[in-house]
């Protein structure tokens, strides 16, 4: 049986995401299984997910996925490179996935793999260091350095291509036997505006929610996602918006030492000093970001650093590989895959939270971070009466 893995956020899930799953089964056959590795309560752009992970995972299964496994927190809220590597390693750890499927602007797996091979070369690393000395952003330096080595460097100018290239780099690094299946992305571009007759972008849907145009937003979600959203909203748990925790985030930033800021700066480039000054003077999170930002540093990187500060994370908290697999939702096929994984997965399958106490120290440390993050996420619920702590220890996968 062929099993396709999809690395995703579903924040929120819409017709474009459903289309990808449908196309995967067209390519690989209707009996193909689909395992999604999905970000949990926090997402890669350094923000709170609009709806909690179990609700999004259930919607994914109702829309075509067979099994949804959580992408561990340290990978979910990291750079594209680490996000991709965490997702690939999670799929590999299942022991059952045969294909990695994703959408890209180019739809050409060979071209994406070629660029990945260039980026993995020692010559590229040398040229990248030289370009970074020019003071440009990392993305600009990367594309310029790659252009000196391949005519396909222009692929690095489009976000879904970039993520696809990072997936390919991870496959190369781990010597993985995963077949890459990329399909041309259809509909609105990443962060693009909504347009009738085409697949939406998740960011445009989130913008409608933030503008309190909830019914419009729901009309663009996949029906199962809209239903999950309504159920969470009725329970006081949606929409989850980071600005509800703004005072808590600012309090954390104002009480951190310079050394604590320095621990967030993976590149050791001095960015933490700008963030330290802004964190102790700005009156809003947006002011913190605007004050610290320069043309060299991506806005998303700063957002992630602020989120890591709020969650009490540091780069050192990211294990070299996922120490367990945490299922979030499954249907009948997914349950059979879980049973298979119990004998062939590279790491334990964690369906009951209490079982983590019998796992490795690394697994217990990661789960403790996940539990704390879940408690901090719930503080952004519309109704604080729904924000009881300790849910990570009580919640289990949704079985359909």
């Amino acid at each position: 049986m062929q099993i396709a893995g999809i690395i995703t956020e579903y924040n929120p899930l819409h017709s474009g995401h459903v289309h990808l799953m449908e196309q995967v089964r067209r390519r690989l056959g209707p009996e193909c299984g689909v395992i999604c590795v999905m970000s949990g309560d926090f997402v890669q752009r350094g923000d709170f997910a609009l709806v909690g992970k179990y609700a999004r995972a259930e919607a994914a299964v109702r829309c075509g996925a067979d099994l949804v496994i959580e992408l561990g927190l340290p990978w979910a809220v990291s750079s594209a490179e680490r996000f991709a590597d965490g997702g690939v390693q999670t799929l590999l750890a299942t022991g059952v996935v045969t294909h990695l499927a994703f959408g890209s602007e180019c739809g050409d797996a060979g071209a994406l793999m070629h660029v990945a091979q260039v980026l993995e070369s020692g010559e590229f690393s040398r040229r990248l260091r030289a370009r970074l000395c020019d003071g440009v952003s990392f993305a600009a330096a990367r594309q310029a350095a790659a252009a000196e080595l391949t005519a396909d460097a222009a692929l690095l100018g489009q976000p879904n291509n970039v993520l696809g290239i990072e997936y390919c780099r991870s496959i190369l690094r781990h010597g993985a036997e995963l077949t890459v299946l990329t399909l041309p992305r259809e509909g609105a571009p990443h962060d693009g505006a909504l347009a009738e007759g085409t697949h939406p972008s998740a960011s445009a849907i989130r913008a409608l929610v933030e503008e309190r145009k909830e019914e419009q937003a729901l009309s663009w979600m996949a029906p199962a996602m809209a239903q999950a959203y309504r159920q969470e909203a009725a329970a006081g748990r949606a929409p989850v918006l980071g600005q509800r925790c703004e005072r808590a985030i600012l309090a954390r930033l104002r009480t951190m030492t310079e050394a604590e800021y320095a621990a967030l700066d993976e590149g050791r480039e001095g960015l933490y000093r700008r963030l330290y000054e802004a964190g102790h003077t700005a009156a809003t999170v947006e002011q913190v970001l605007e004050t610290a930002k320069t043309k060299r540093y991506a806005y998303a990187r700063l957002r992630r650093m602020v989120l890591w500060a709020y969650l009490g994370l540091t780069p050192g908290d990211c294990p070299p590989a996922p120490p367990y697999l945490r299922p979030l939702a499954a249907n009948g096929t997914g349950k059979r895959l879980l049973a298979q994984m119990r004998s062939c997965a590279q790491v334990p399958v964690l369906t009951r939270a209490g079982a983590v106490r019998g796992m490795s120290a690394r697994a217990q440390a990661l789960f403790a971070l996940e539990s704390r993050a879940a408690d901090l996420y719930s503080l952004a619920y519309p109704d604080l009466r729904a924000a009881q702590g300790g849910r990570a220890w009580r919640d289990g996968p949704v079985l359909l």
Side-chain angles (χ1 to χ4, degrees):
M1 182 181 182
Q2 297 190 106
I3 308 295
I6 298 174
I7 302 166
T8 188
E9 291 185 326
Y10 294 152
N11 186 37
L13 191 150
H14 56 67
S15 61
H17 300 127
V18 178
H19 177 73
L20 175 60
M21 288 189 274
E22 292 172 344
Q23 289 300 308
V24 165
R25 285 198 168 95
R26 276 206 187 97
R27 298 284 186 92
L28 301 182
E31 299 304 313
C32 164
V34 174
I35 296 179
C36 295
V37 171
M38 188 190 78
S39 300
D41 291 330
F42 297 93
V43 293
Q44 200 259 338
R45 64 190 294 268
D47 204 355
F48 294 61
L50 194 64
V51 178
K53 59 190 178 186
Y54 287 102
R56 292 177 6 255
E58 179 179 352
V61 170
R62 294 189 184 280
C63 287
D66 295 307
L67 173 63
V68 180
I69 298 172
E70 183 173 6
L71 174 62
L73 178 68
W75 296 278
V77 295
S78 289
S79 65
E81 180 178 353
R82 183 175 285 167
F83 174 93
D85 190 56
V88 168
Q89 287 202 72
T90 302
L91 290 174
L92 292 174
T94 67
V96 300
V97 174
T98 59
H99 291 69
L100 172 60
F102 56 90
S104 62
E105 288 86 0
C106 72
D108 186 338
L112 296 175
M113 185 60 78
H114 168 66
V115 176
Q117 291 167 336
V118 169
L119 267 55
E120 284 297 292
S121 69
E123 181 60 23
F124 170 77
S125 297
R126 186 184 68 77
R127 293 176 185 248
L128 176 62
R129 286 193 296 270
R131 289 288 183 172
L132 286 171
C133 290
D134 297 337
V136 298
S137 69
F138 176 81
R142 177 182 58 191
Q143 187 164 347
E148 297 174 8
L149 300 171
T150 175
D152 287 332
L155 296 178
L156 288 163
Q158 296 172 298
N160 295 104
N161 285 342
V162 169
L163 198 51
I165 289 166
E166 293 298 344
Y167 294 148
C168 292
R169 291 180 73 186
S170 181
I171 289 172
L172 291 170
R173 288 173 188 163
H174 298 291
E177 295 183 2
L178 278 182
T179 300
V180 175
L181 174 60
T182 187
L183 299 156
R185 179 186 168 96
E186 299 180 13
H190 183 75
D191 287 338
L194 297 169
E196 291 295 338
T198 189
H199 300 306
S201 71
S203 58
I205 298 175
R206 293 194 301 271
L208 287 175
V209 173
E210 291 169 1
E211 294 166 10
R212 299 186 179 181
K213 299 176 181 178
E214 199 166 67
E215 287 305 313
Q216 280 184 257
L218 288 165
S219 71
W220 287 100
M221 295 180 196
M225 183 72 249
Q227 179 182 359
Y229 181 100
R230 288 191 173 97
Q231 290 172 344
E232 290 296 287
R237 298 191 295 262
V240 180
L241 303 174
Q243 52 261 45
R244 293 199 182 99
C245 288
E246 185 166 38
R247 288 178 185 267
I249 294 170
L250 290 171
R252 172 63 179 151
L253 293 176
R254 289 195 180 184
T255 54
M256 286 172 61
T257 65
E258 188 170 355
E260 288 174 314
Y261 276 90
L264 300 174
D265 194 354
E266 293 182 88
R268 295 290 182 262
E269 300 167 288
L271 175 59
Y272 75 89
R273 293 191 183 92
R274 296 184 61 85
L275 195 59
Y276 172 76
E277 294 296 331
H280 283 79
T281 56
T284 67
V285 171
E286 193 63 32
Q287 284 180 7
V288 170
L289 298 171
E290 288 295 333
T291 302
K293 186 180 182 303
T294 70
K295 68 176 183 179
R296 179 168 181 173
Y297 303 115
Y299 200 69
R301 181 177 172 187
L302 285 164
R303 287 182 65 93
R304 285 193 294 271
M305 289 176 73
V306 169
L307 179 62
W308 279 55
Y310 174 62
L311 298 177
L313 289 174
T314 68
D317 292 320
C318 189
Y324 54 75
L325 298 172
R326 179 79 162 147
L328 298 177
N331 61 14
T333 299
K335 285 184 272 189
R336 289 191 290 275
L337 288 170
L338 281 173
Q340 183 180 348
M341 286 160 51
R342 290 193 184 280
S343 62
C344 66
Q346 298 172 10
V347 294
V349 178
L350 183 63
T351 51
R352 291 184 304 103
V356 77
R357 295 188 178 97
M359 295 182 185
S360 66
R362 185 168 282 163
Q364 293 182 56
L366 177 60
F367 191 84
L369 290 175
E370 299 275 10
S371 178
R372 182 174 68 200
D375 288 345
L376 292 172
Y377 175 79
S378 68
L379 295 179
Y381 286 168
D383 187 350
L384 276 178
R385 290 173 297 182
Q388 297 90 353
R391 287 193 64 188
W393 290 97
R394 298 191 299 271
D395 292 343
V398 180
L399 302 177
L400 301 178

